[in-house]
């Protein structure tokens, strides 16, 4: 049932302790605590606690400019001060402990707010957020198929390394304060909630706390950060990452130091990733990203090996291929028609180098490699589903999206009504689906407009290349004139890369605004919608130029004397080596160039920013007369803010598209991707451990909509490679010629060249040849129509064969491993048995509130 929300007063709505104790009420969109929550205790104090309590659960920072006293700026600063004080006061009312530290300076004063949640607040929100906490410790069940295989074969495994302090696995259950005694470690309040659980609870409070009227979106730390009221908000790292001995078995090694020693160092490039350690410190979402990245990189190894072999086969064929030899040794009398209106005639033998380069990628092995990569992509996704299911079960997040995930605070505050959740049975904020669809359609219109901008940029690049060919070909330099087409193509690729980078930055910002406006209920739904918008745009942005070269360039040129034009400029022709070599060049420029730019940005930019932050902070502390060693919160503030995983996923998924969609044109693409990803894993690990402030640990059960995007790219790759082999490669014309004329391909070069029409030859007082299957009058020959039928038949057969084999593999490979299915069924059976026994015990004793958690606390399951 839908219920419209009542109007709220312009103040902070607090939940009193009565509601806290009874468990009634909901805290969506508000901090929902009484001031006594920070004082009262749910259980007696700890006994024999030797653990050290954390300094702070969360840190807020703002900088105060003491130099600028202009009236407009001062008015803004006063407004920010009011918001900030209101926000902090509401945090106090919510029960948080607040400690302020100031770093004075003559120019800019830095203020640090250290936040810590008392035991009562932690217990209340742990129950409210449905956090799962351990009931019983189990042995770690982590395994790796390659390690098991090498162990079975008796081969030493150089990838395996012992990482200390391996996180155990637990039988866990949703927390309930009334069942506290059943949870593991409940006798120690300082360590019962791990640092990641504390961070999640504090962030939830910060996201809901108001600093003004909620309906005007005056709530939440994200809005305050966007307005500049606070400079940063982050949880503290677990101490420094460095200055530890090489022997990491020493006592007192922090989780961050373990990750640095065994994961983030470049020397560990050939070791397995300690995913359980990553998950414990950064949360499931970050751990799943690195699990997927490592899995994808491992699967690139066989693809890179096969692709390199195919490329080497092409290198050998260059010197033994008869059509290529005929071209390189053709007589000087074979003149080719001009490639542009003002270009001169050129000799066929001058294209020898380009023809040899094209032969590196265009041969029979390319067909096999295209089929191999299509099936490789299908198997990659099938086995990732199995890997994901195993990790989700071990990390206790298999049902996170369906049961555990809460509505976003921004959604909860702006939703106009509430509705009953059919799964949890709770009353939750609700936004009408019809209104959301209308907003999504409006956002789609904006997306189409941005796609139109990309197409306009593509057309401008096409015109640029056409004009560039004319300009360079008229040069007095013989080398420039001979390579005019190649120079225009390469420079056009570089210009296209610049357009790609600029338009990407613009649209990401626009997509964030549109996605917030669409009012998605959960963070997962919000991220999926944002990801889909940006990827559709980035797909067109990155792949528009390669698609044009692969499927359109040189197709609508016409013939000598009757050339087709675009805006008065003659349509582009493929260079002498064919369009496939141009496509390979375009892919290498965009793919490798983008990877180099990203890696330079990820290495140099953080280092430069970190050096500047350290120098600036050191100078400021020296002027303030403070010690040389900063406090932990000051050290973490010097680090860079974590920007999330979106750009990391986007980079890898776009790379996956280049590796699969156009692999027929560039068999070396998997090799370049593999080399890049070996660097990328340790580079990203180092960023998270050393360069970034610690992100709030987030839960996730999979990689989200990225998996469906990968599946879509896999299907698109089959179609793309089928058309590439049929229409852009010489594979089918060579096969047709071998079957119908000469098995050794002698005379194939002459077979592919047409004579210019007599009218054109008379006008220029000489004859010439051009690449086409046309008669002397310029009309398509019978051979053209025969080859067209063969090409279309090849596309249909190739697609059906690959899709059929892929479907068969999908059926043969279960999405969930049998061992995981057995464990899930076993746990379901034990849960039902425990529930039945508990109900029988309740009926016998009349107790209602202190039995096993399985009776009231929601689903229990394995989790590490």
């Amino acid at each position: 049932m839908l219920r419209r929300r009542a109007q709220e007063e312009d103040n902070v709505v607090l939940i009193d302790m009565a509601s806290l104790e009874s468990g009634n009420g909901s805290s969506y969109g508000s901090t929902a605590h009484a001031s006594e929550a920070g004082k009262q205790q749910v259980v007696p104090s700890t006994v024999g606690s030797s653990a050290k309590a954390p300094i702070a659960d969360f840190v807020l920072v703002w900088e105060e400019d003491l130099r600028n006293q202009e009236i407009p700026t001062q008015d803004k600063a006063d407004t920010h001060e009011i918001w900030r004080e209101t926000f902090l006061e509401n945090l106090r009312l919510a029960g948080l402990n607040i400690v302020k530290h100031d770093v004075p300076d003559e120019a800019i004063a830095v203020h640090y707010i250290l936040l810590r949640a008392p035991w009562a607040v932690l217990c209340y929100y742990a129950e409210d957020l449905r956090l799962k906490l351990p009931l019983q410790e189990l042995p770690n069940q982590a395994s790796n198929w390659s390690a098991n295989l090498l162990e079975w074969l008796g081969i030493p495994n150089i990838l395996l390394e012992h990482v200390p302090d391996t996180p155990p696995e637990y039988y866990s259950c949703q927390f309930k304060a009334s069942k506290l005694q059943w949870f593991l470690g409940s006798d120690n309040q300082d360590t019962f909630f791990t640092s990641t659980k504390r961070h999640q609870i504090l962030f939830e409070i910060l996201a809901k706390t108001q600093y003004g009227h909620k309906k005007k979106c005056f709530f939440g730390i994200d809005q305050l950060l966007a307005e500049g009221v606070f400079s940063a908000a982050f949880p503290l790292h677990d101490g420094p990452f460095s200055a530890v001995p090489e022997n990491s078995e020493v006592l007192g090694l922090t989780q961050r130091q373990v990750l640095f020693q065994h994961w983030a160092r470049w020397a560990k490039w050939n070791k397995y990733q300690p995913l359980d350690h990553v998950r414990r410190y950064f949360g499931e979402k970050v751990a799943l990203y690195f699990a997927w990245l490592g899995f994808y990189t491992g699967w690139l190894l066989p693809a890179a090996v096969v692709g390199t072999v195919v490329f080497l086969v092409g290198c050998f064929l260059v010197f033994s291929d008869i059509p290529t030899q005929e071209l390189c040794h053709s007589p000087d009398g074979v003149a080719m028609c001009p490639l542009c209106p003002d270009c001169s005639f050129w000799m066929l033998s001058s294209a020898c180098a380009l023809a040899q380069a094209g032969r590196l990628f265009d041969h029979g092995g390319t067909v096999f490699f295209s089929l191999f990569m299509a099936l490789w992509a299908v198997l990659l996704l099938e086995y990732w589903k199995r890997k994901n299911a195993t990790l989700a079960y071990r990390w206790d997040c298999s049902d996170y999206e369906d049961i555990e995930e809460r509505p976003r605070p921004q959604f909860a505050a702006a939703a106009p009504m509430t509705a009953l959740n059919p799964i949890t049975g709770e009353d939750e904020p609700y936004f009408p689906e019809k209104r959301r669809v209308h907003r999504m359609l409006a956002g789609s219109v904006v997306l189409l407009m941005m796609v139109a901008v990309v197409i306009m940029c593509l057309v401008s690049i096409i015109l640029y290349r056409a004009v560039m060919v004319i300009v360079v070909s008229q040069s007095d330099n013989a080398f420039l004139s001979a390579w005019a087409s190649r120079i225009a193509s390469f420079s056009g690729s570089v210009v296209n890369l610049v357009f790609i980078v600029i338009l990407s930055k613009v649209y990401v910002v626009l997509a964030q605004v549109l996605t917030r406006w669409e009012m998605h209920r959960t963070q997962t739904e919000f991220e999926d919608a944002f990801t889909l918008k940006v990827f559709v745009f980035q797909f067109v942005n990155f792949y528009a130029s390669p698609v044009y070269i692969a499927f359109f360039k040189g197709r609508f040129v016409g013939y000598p004397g009757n050339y087709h034009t675009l805006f008065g400029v003659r349509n582009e022709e493929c260079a002498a080596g064919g369009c496939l070599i141009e496509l390979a060049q375009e892919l290498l420029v965009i793919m490798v160039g983008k990877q180099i730019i990203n890696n330079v940005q990820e290495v140099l930019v953080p280092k430069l920013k970190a050096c500047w932050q350290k120098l600036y902070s050191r100078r400021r502390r020296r002027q303030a007369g403070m010690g040389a060693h900063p406090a932990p919160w000051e050290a973490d503030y010097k680090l860079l803010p974590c920007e999330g995983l979106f750009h990391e996923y986007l980079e890898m998924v776009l790379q996956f598209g280049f590796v699969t969609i156009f692999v027929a044109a560039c068999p070396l693409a998997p090799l370049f991707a593999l080399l890049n990803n070996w660097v990328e894993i340790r580079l990203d690990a180092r960023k998270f451990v050393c360069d970034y402030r610690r992100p709030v640990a987030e839960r996730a059960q999979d990689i989200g909509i990225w998996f469906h995007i990968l599946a879509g790219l896999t299907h698109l790759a089959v179609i793309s490679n089928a058309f590439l082999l049929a229409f852009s490669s010489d594979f089918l014309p060579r096969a047709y010629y071998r079957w119908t004329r000469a098995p050794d391909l002698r005379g194939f070069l002459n077979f592919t060249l047409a004579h210019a029409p007599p009218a054109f030859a008379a006008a220029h007082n000489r004859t010439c040849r051009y690449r086409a299957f046309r008669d002397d009058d310029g009309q398509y020959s019978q051979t053209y129509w025969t080859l067209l039928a063969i090409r279309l038949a090849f596309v249909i057969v190739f697609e059906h064969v690959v899709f059929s084999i892929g479907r068969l593999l999908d059926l043969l490979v279960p999405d969930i491993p049998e061992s995981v299915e057995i464990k899930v069924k076993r746990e379901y059976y034990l849960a039902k048995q425990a529930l039945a026994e508990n109900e029988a015990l309740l009926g016998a004793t009349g107790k209602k509130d202190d039995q096993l958690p399985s009776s009231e606390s929601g689903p229990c399951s394995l989790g590490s």
Side-chain angles (χ1 to χ4, degrees):
M1 179 183 295
L2 303 181
R3 288 177 287 278
R4 186 164 298 277
R5 286 183 161 185
Q7 294 294 323
E8 298 181 14
E9 298 293 334
D10 188 9
N11 58 6
V12 182
V13 180
L14 303 175
I15 290 183
D16 56 12
M17 290 302 294
S19 64
L20 187 149
E21 293 171 357
S22 64
N24 296 329
S26 175
S27 64
Y28 288 114
S30 68
T31 50
H33 269 298
S35 58
E36 291 85 358
K39 302 175 184 177
Q40 298 190 14
Q41 300 295 326
V42 177
V43 296
S45 58
T46 58
V47 178
S49 174
S50 60
K52 194 174 180 180
I55 300 173
D57 296 319
F58 228 88
V59 180
L60 304 180
V61 187
W62 83 90
E63 297 183 356
E64 183 180 1
D65 191 349
L66 304 178
R67 298 167 299 179
N68 198 343
Q69 299 296 332
E70 297 179 7
I71 295 178
T73 306
Q74 188 61 37
D75 291 342
K76 183 178 180 181
D78 292 341
T79 302
H80 286 183
E81 181 66 22
I82 294 172
W83 288 351
R84 188 161 44 241
E85 290 300 325
T86 304
F87 185 74
L88 294 177
E89 180 60 27
N90 289 339
L91 291 179
R92 290 188 187 94
L93 293 174
L96 299 187
N97 296 333
I98 298 178
V99 179
K100 185 176 180 181
H101 288 266
D102 297 331
V103 178
D105 194 311
E106 295 180 358
I108 298 178
V110 183
H111 306 278
Y112 297 91
I113 301 295
L114 308 184
L115 304 176
R116 192 164 184 274
W119 174 254
V121 175
L122 291 174
C123 288
Y124 174 80
Y125 270 95
E127 187 170 339
D128 187 57
L129 295 176
R130 309 188 189 111
L131 295 184
K132 285 189 174 181
L133 296 176
L135 291 169
Q136 180 183 354
E137 184 174 328
L138 303 170
N140 190 286
Q141 303 176 26
S143 62
N144 190 296
W145 70 269
S146 58
N148 295 336
L149 177 63
L150 292 175
E151 183 181 2
W152 182 74
L153 295 174
I155 301 175
N157 188 358
I158 62 172
L159 302 177
L160 190 63
E161 180 187 39
H162 171 68
V163 182
D165 191 24
T166 301
E169 295 183 359
Y170 298 101
Y171 186 72
S172 63
C173 192
Q174 288 182 9
F175 177 76
K176 195 172 184 63
S178 61
K179 318 291 184 183
L180 182 65
Q181 68 273 17
W182 292 103
F183 290 93
L184 199 64
S186 59
D187 59 338
N188 191 332
Q189 293 182 7
D190 290 333
T191 60
F192 178 67
F193 292 102
T194 63
S195 60
T196 54
K197 300 295 186 188
R198 287 175 172 269
H199 300 161
Q200 291 171 353
I201 291 172
L202 262 291
F203 185 74
E204 181 74 11
I205 296 173
L206 292 171
K208 293 180 176 180
T209 301
Q210 302 173 43
Y211 58 91
H213 198 291
K214 189 196 307 182
K215 288 302 180 181
K216 297 179 181 178
C217 292
F218 287 172
F219 74 96
I221 188 63
D222 289 335
Q223 188 67 22
L224 290 173
L225 290 171
E227 294 285 349
V229 179
F230 288 102
S231 303
F234 54 89
L236 285 177
H237 267 296
D238 189 10
F241 65 85
S242 58
V244 296
E246 287 296 323
N247 180 15
S248 58
E249 297 288 349
V250 296
L251 296 176
L253 200 66
T254 66
Q255 295 179 22
R256 190 184 186 193
Q257 289 167 346
V258 170
L259 288 175
F260 176 74
Q261 287 290 100
H262 297 274
W263 183 49
R265 295 170 59 201
W266 294 107
K268 303 299 180 181
W269 67 272
N270 61 337
K271 302 298 181 183
Y272 292 129
Q273 298 185 86
L275 293 177
D276 286 331
H277 295 73
V278 176
R279 181 250 181 179
R280 179 178 62 181
Y281 193 74
F282 291 110
E284 288 82 2
K285 182 173 287 188
V286 172
L288 280 171
Y289 163 72
F290 281 102
W292 176 81
L293 180 57
F295 185 85
Y296 167 51
T297 303
W299 273 69
L300 278 174
L301 185 59
V305 171
V306 176
T308 304
V309 170
V310 170
F311 177 77
L312 293 176
V313 169
C315 293
F316 287 110
L317 290 178
V318 165
F319 303 102
S320 61
D321 184 58
I322 292 178
T324 304
Q325 292 178 350
E326 289 180 347
L327 188 149
C328 292
H329 299 94
S330 61
D332 293 338
V334 180
M336 302 297 292
C337 299
L339 295 175
C340 65
D342 295 327
C343 297
S344 59
F345 293 84
W346 54 285
M347 296 297 107
L348 179 61
S349 58
S350 65
C352 177
L354 291 175
Q356 290 176 335
R359 192 61 185 150
L360 295 174
F361 304 102
D362 189 4
H363 55 85
T366 306
V367 180
F368 162 76
F369 189 54
S370 299
L371 178 63
F372 171 83
M373 287 302 295
L375 300 179
W376 171 88
V378 172
L379 285 174
L380 168 69
L381 297 184
E382 286 301 314
Y383 277 94
W384 167 249
K385 284 192 288 187
R386 294 170 59 85
K387 177 74 172 179
N388 191 110
T390 302
L391 292 176
Y393 169 76
R394 289 187 52 243
W395 293 344
D396 197 15
C397 52
S398 299
D399 54 358
Y400 170 71
E401 293 179 11
D402 294 331
I403 298 176
E404 298 178 48
E405 191 169 20
R406 304 268 289 182
R408 297 167 57 242
Q410 297 85 348
F411 172 85
M417 58 186 67
T418 61
L420 194 68
N421 187 320
I423 297 177
T424 64
E426 296 182 2
D427 212 26
E428 293 186 354
Y430 177 79
F431 189 80
E433 193 65 30
K434 186 176 181 180
R435 290 173 59 184
R436 180 182 292 115
V437 170
H438 289 167
R439 294 188 178 190
M440 293 175 67
L441 291 176
S444 302
V445 173
V446 177
L447 173 60
L448 292 176
M449 291 174 59
M450 291 299 298
V451 169
V453 172
V454 174
I455 295 175
M456 290 170 58
C457 292
L458 176 62
V459 173
S460 66
I461 292 171
I462 294 172
L463 296 177
Y464 163 82
R465 280 198 288 245
V467 173
M468 196 68 178
V469 169
I470 298 174
V471 173
V472 177
S473 63
Q474 294 175 347
S475 172
D476 295 334
N477 188 309
F479 174 80
L480 293 179
S481 180
W483 286 77
S485 178
R486 184 62 53 220
I487 292 172
S489 177
F490 182 78
S491 61
S493 300
V494 174
V495 173
N496 182 52
L497 179 60
V498 174
F499 278 158
I500 285 173
V501 173
I502 295 175
L503 290 174
S504 299
K505 301 290 185 184
V506 173
Y507 184 72
V508 167
V509 177
L510 184 59
Q512 288 176 337
V513 176
L514 290 173
T515 309
R516 282 196 297 266
W517 180 59
E518 290 172 357
M519 289 288 293
H520 295 279
R521 175 181 170 271
T522 65
Q523 186 65 24
T524 299
E525 293 173 357
F526 177 88
E527 291 176 357
D528 287 349
F530 172 74
T531 298
L532 184 60
K533 284 186 186 63
V534 176
F535 180 79
V536 170
F537 173 78
Q538 297 284 41
F539 179 85
V540 178
N541 197 14
F542 274 87
Y543 297 132
S545 185
V547 166
Y548 163 74
I549 294 174
F551 304 116
F552 297 99
K553 186 175 182 180
R555 308 291 174 200
F556 312 102
V557 178
Y559 55 89
N562 187 28
Y563 288 114
H564 301 157
T565 61
L566 176 66
F567 300 118
V569 179
R570 176 179 159 182
N571 290 347
E572 285 186 292
E573 282 192 69
C574 294
C579 279
L580 211 60
I581 184 63
E582 287 193 49
L583 178 59
Q585 170 197 287
E586 184 79 6
L587 292 176
L588 291 176
V589 168
I590 295 178
M591 178 181 169
V592 179
K594 185 84 167 55
Q595 290 176 349
I596 292 174
I597 291 174
N598 287 340
N599 289 335
V600 169
Q601 286 180 338
E602 293 177 359
V603 173
L604 292 183
V605 174
K607 292 297 181 186
L608 293 175
K609 287 183 177 180
C611 289
W612 167 252
Q613 285 270 35
K614 289 179 181 178
L615 290 174
Y616 178 69
S617 176
R618 193 175 301 164
R619 180 183 63 83
R620 188 168 57 199
R621 292 181 63 83
R622 189 167 53 249
Q623 291 176 352
M626 303 178 70
H629 300 288
W633 47 89
E634 294 181 60
D636 284 7
Y637 182 53
K638 296 175 187 176
L639 302 178
L640 302 176
C642 182
E643 298 177 351
L645 296 170
F646 171 77
H647 293 288
E648 311 297 340
Y649 271 119
L650 180 63
E651 179 185 354
M652 290 297 103
V653 172
L654 288 173
Q655 180 200 89
F656 178 84
F658 284 119
V659 167
T660 54
I661 294 178
F662 303 106
V663 73
C666 189
L668 291 178
L671 176 62
F672 288 117
L674 175 64
L675 297 175
N676 174 80
N677 289 6
W678 263 335
V679 176
E680 186 75 24
I681 290 176
R682 303 305 159 180
L683 189 60
D684 288 347
R686 195 173 186 86
K687 284 192 306 183
F688 274 90
V689 174
C690 306
D691 299 330
Y692 282 169
R693 297 169 191 156
R694 187 174 183 177
V696 178
E698 295 185 67
R699 299 266 288 164
Q701 70 181 52
D702 50 38
I703 62 174
I705 200 173
W706 291 112
F707 178 83
H708 303 289
I709 291 174
L710 291 169
L713 289 177
T714 300
H715 287 82
L716 185 61
V718 176
I719 301 172
S720 172
N721 284 297
F723 277 94
L724 268 177
L725 294 171
F727 290 92
S728 298
S729 169
D730 277 342
F731 170 72
L732 290 181
R734 283 170 175 258
Y736 173 76
Y737 188 83
R738 185 179 285 112
W739 294 336
T740 58
R741 287 172 172 77
D744 59 357
L745 292 179
R746 295 189 181 277
F748 176 75
L749 179 64
N750 184 67
F751 172 71
T752 60
L753 299 177
H755 292 273
F760 181 85
H764 292 80
N765 200 26
R766 65 182 301 181
T767 187
C768 62
R769 308 290 294 274
Y770 65 102
R771 186 181 174 88
F773 294 101
R774 292 179 182 268
D775 298 330
D776 291 345
D777 59 355
Q779 301 300 315
Y780 287 119
S781 63
Q782 182 61 39
T783 301
Y784 170 83
W785 297 109
T786 303
L787 278 173
L788 179 62
I790 293 174
R791 284 167 167 159
L792 293 176
F794 175 83
V795 169
I796 296 173
V797 172
F798 185 88
E799 289 179 358
H800 279 68
V801 169
V802 174
F803 283 136
S804 299
I805 297 176
R807 180 58 180 164
L808 179 62
L809 293 174
D810 188 10
L811 295 175
L812 292 177
V813 180
D815 292 348
I816 302 176
E818 183 180 2
S819 59
V820 174
E821 285 188 336
I822 292 175
K823 292 176 183 177
V824 171
K825 292 177 181 178
R826 173 66 176 169
E827 287 184 8
Y828 179 71
Y829 167 76
L830 292 176
K832 287 185 66 176
Q833 192 175 41
L835 180 61
E837 292 176 356
N838 195 35
E839 288 178 349
L841 183 62
L842 286 173
T845 62
K847 295 183 179 180
K848 297 182 179 180
D849 203 36
D850 57 351
Q851 304 304 324
L852 293 173
S854 58
S855 63
E856 299 181 25
S857 298
C860 299
S861 58
L862 174 70
S864 55

